[in-house]
Amino acid sequence: MADAAELARTLVASLLAGGVREVVLAPGSRSAPLALVLWAADRDGRLRLHVRVDERGAGFLALGLAKASGRPVPVVTTSGTAVANLHPAVLEAWHSHVPLVVVSADRPAALRWTGANQTTHQEGLFATHVRASATVTAAGGVPYEVGRLLAAATGVRSRLPGPVHLDVELADPLVPTAGEPDQDLPAVALTTFASAPPADPLVLEPGVRTVVVAGDAPPALGRAWAERAAAASVPLLAEASSNARSGPAALSTYRLLLTGLAAEVERVVVVGHPTLTRPVSRLLARTDVELVVTTPYADWPDPGRAATRVVDDVVLAAPGEAEHAWFRGWRAAEDELRGRVDALLEGWPGLTGPEVARTVLEAQRPTDVLLVGSSNPVRDLDLAPVGDRPPAVYANRGLAGIDGLVSTAVGVAWGTGSPVTALLGDLTLLHDASGLVVGPLEPRPDVRFVVVNDDGGSIFTTLEQGASDHARSFERVFGTPQGVRVEGLAHAAGLAYAQVDDVAGLRAALRRPPSGLELVEVRLDRTRRRALDEALRELAG
């Protein structure tokens, strides 16, 4: 085995040469050589180091950093179960094309099958859920493998970005004998890769009744499509995290409008990763509709297996009278239904999730950043009116899990360099409560967590298991009330805390930008959530 300190220095130098500027570290013994070199690189201003004690949260912190910055972000762990705790973040990164780089310290291979402490089979641990993997045991092969893995993570050649895994076998001694690691990093050169140019866009012919469905997408892509759809007079069915919910083409009540208008659609253009609503899923599964999927990646979303064409990009036809008339019909239906939705929510007894989401959205400036959690918060935000200049919106929609979203929000704050407001449910908060803990030696971003606390999984009340036939079992196995004092969590982690009970109080709490880590708790009663969902669907006729 090679000298561990030399291997660590070469690895960090290679990451820096590959453009890495943020690294997340979860401490451990076997990863000590890497930790010491990373500490020195952070001290010297060559990268920014984030230290977390929980590997699962560390993985999602790196995910948020990479998602928001578009650059590969390593998360470094020690050996054993520490590496396995990264699997949820790896899965989300795989499904959402995020360049997450797992760097796992490992015991020498000779110790496997011996019962040695914290020794398992880390090679291939993530199986098919990484784009590439490698194991290094000596400094000599590190620059090549780091260059190859960073190319795979960014998809520069494959057009399939995503997570990668570098397993680093480190032998004793793990720490230098002469104190801190002050030796200079070695000079390394990585292979450079040129990306293939995209294909020419597909020019769509006019005269076909077309809608654009925009799923989860980066801000630049979503905003560009909002402008395109408006210029072409094409109805835009944009999900809450599509970043396309702006301008005259975006329809805030699209999931309700599809009840009556879907039958008239002849062509659908898909942008991003739509996952949010059943009406859209049904539309995308129809075989009597021309389905054009646009994607910059080598793979594409087509859960209904109905795609007609998959292309890099499309050009919408210049609108004629037929297109203008088609759009006016959708616009008139949206304006009428929007008024009825607003009236229903305004008259509904007590504060509701859609009202909270709307208030949070309206409080954001165009330069702000909003992260929205899975389950009800993202669906409530999806009912909010369309704004002229909404904030950038992020969500973990690769697998739409509720895990790791506190840490993801912190990572997005660092990755964007902007304050973040995170709209989360109470179970989502509890799932990643350790993400609230940012030690006094760590940099703290500006993140405000708005936690909609209805004491349980209210999304299940809107699904089949929430029907009265399952009332006896519902609370125990779906509702899962926890009764946790959120204020106590906030105080334990050193967060500023406020509780609000109405829209006026929430507006007051959101009036100033986030400063440090804050938590605003909004308590709701979920006993009428199913009735509200049914009333909203009935508005569509």
Side-chain angles (χ1 to χ4, degrees):
M1 295 293 295
D3 176 76
E6 179 189 5
L7 198 164
R9 287 194 299 272
T10 305
L11 175 54
V12 173
S14 299
L15 291 173
L16 290 170
V20 168
R21 294 297 178 266
E22 307 269 3
V23 179
V24 180
L25 169 70
S29 176
R30 187 56 47 171
S31 56
L34 295 167
L36 291 170
V37 178
L38 289 169
W39 173 85
D42 175 83
R43 176 200 61 191
D44 296 339
R46 305 186 70 172
L47 57 77
R48 182 163 55 188
L49 183 63
H50 309 264
V51 181
R52 295 295 187 274
V53 296
D54 175 3
E55 285 85 6
R56 186 173 71 171
F60 279 101
L61 173 59
L63 175 88
L65 276 159
K67 178 192 288 281
S69 69
R71 303 174 74 166
V73 175
V75 53
V76 179
T77 74
T78 192
S79 62
T81 59
V83 193
N85 279 314
L86 299 177
H87 214 141
V90 168
L91 284 170
E92 176 62 28
W94 195 94
H95 286 275
S96 54
H97 303 99
V98 174
L100 178 69
V101 180
V102 172
V103 179
S104 57
D106 202 351
R107 308 283 167 136
L111 292 178
R112 296 173 194 159
W113 299 106
T114 68
N117 186 41
Q118 290 188 336
T119 303
T120 186
H121 301 273
Q122 294 177 192
E123 287 183 309
L125 180 65
F126 302 109
T128 59
H129 295 130
V130 289
R131 307 298 190 203
S133 61
T135 298
V136 292
T137 60
V142 168
Y144 171 80
E145 295 295 359
V146 168
R148 183 176 70 87
L149 293 185
L150 291 180
T154 56
V156 65
R157 296 298 300 166
S158 67
R159 298 182 63 195
L160 201 61
V164 296
H165 179 202
L166 179 62
D167 197 50
V168 185
E169 293 184 19
L170 296 165
D172 294 330
L174 298 175
V175 296
T177 57
E180 302 293 1
D182 284 327
Q183 294 186 29
D184 291 337
L185 296 180
V188 297
L190 304 186
T191 304
T192 59
F193 300 91
S195 59
D200 292 335
L202 171 68
V203 180
L204 297 179
E205 66 275 11
V208 181
R209 291 177 171 175
T210 302
V211 298
V212 172
V213 169
D216 184 70
L221 179 63
R223 289 165 177 168
W225 270 96
E227 295 177 0
R228 289 188 187 188
S233 287
V234 173
L236 175 57
L237 319 183
E239 293 184 355
S241 63
S242 68
N243 287 290
R245 289 175 68 93
S246 61
L251 308 175
S252 65
T253 62
Y254 71 90
R255 76 192 199 209
L256 302 175
L257 291 175
L258 282 173
T259 300
L261 296 178
E264 301 178 23
V265 175
E266 297 172 341
R267 177 199 286 147
V268 181
V269 176
V270 176
V271 180
H273 183 203
T275 59
L276 201 54
T277 70
R278 293 183 180 184
V280 166
S281 296
R282 288 192 290 268
L283 175 64
L284 300 185
R286 281 171 49 186
T287 57
D288 62 331
V289 169
E290 180 187 359
L291 182 61
V292 181
V293 180
T294 72
T295 176
Y297 306 124
D299 58 359
W300 61 93
D302 184 22
R305 301 185 177 187
T308 309
R309 288 182 281 190
V310 179
V311 297
D312 288 354
D313 199 5
V314 303
V315 175
L316 300 175
E321 181 49 39
E323 284 76 22
H324 287 307
W326 168 246
F327 179 74
R328 284 195 297 269
W330 282 82
R331 185 76 255 175
E334 153 80 2
D335 293 342
E336 192 272 337
L337 186 53
R338 179 75 255 170
R340 288 196 285 145
V341 168
D342 291 343
L344 174 66
L345 295 175
E346 185 177 347
W348 199 261
L351 187 60
T352 66
E355 288 176 298
V356 173
R358 175 175 183 165
T359 303
V360 169
L361 181 63
E362 290 175 345
Q364 307 305 305
R365 301 167 299 179
T367 55
D368 289 340
V369 176
L370 176 62
L371 180 133
V372 59
S374 302
S375 298
N376 273 334
V378 69
R379 289 166 174 81
D380 291 341
L381 189 65
D382 199 53
L383 274 178
V386 170
D388 292 332
R389 299 180 65 198
V393 179
Y394 291 88
N396 283 349
R397 299 304 300 172
L399 287 180
I402 67 169
D403 47 349
L405 279 155
V406 171
S407 298
T408 301
V410 174
V412 168
W414 285 124
T416 60
S418 299
V420 168
T421 296
L423 177 63
L424 309 175
D426 56 297
L427 295 184
T428 298
L429 175 75
L430 296 178
H431 227 291
D432 193 23
S434 66
L436 298 173
V437 180
V438 180
L441 301 180
E442 295 306 302
R444 286 194 167 210
D446 298 322
V447 181
R448 176 181 289 133
F449 301 97
V450 178
V451 179
V452 183
N453 185 2
D454 53 18
D455 197 22
S458 63
I459 190 172
F460 296 115
T461 66
T462 68
L463 303 177
E464 290 81 357
Q465 53 265 57
S468 57
D469 292 347
H470 307 291
R472 291 183 60 193
S473 61
F474 181 84
E475 278 299 289
R476 179 77 187 280
V477 297
F478 296 109
T480 59
Q482 301 299 308
V484 172
R485 290 181 59 249
V486 172
E487 179 181 7
L489 281 178
H491 288 167
L495 274 64
Y497 170 85
Q499 179 191 330
V500 299
D501 300 302
D502 52 30
V503 168
L506 182 56
R507 284 180 181 147
L510 300 174
R511 192 163 292 140
R512 58 168 179 78
S515 177
L517 297 178
E518 309 174 359
L519 196 153
V520 176
E521 180 184 8
V522 188
R523 293 185 181 176
L524 299 185
D525 179 3
R526 62 179 163 88
T527 57
R528 300 198 65 198
R529 180 72 203 214
R530 185 177 182 88
L532 174 61
D533 187 69
E534 291 173 347
L536 286 166
R537 282 188 277 111
E538 287 173 2
L539 293 179

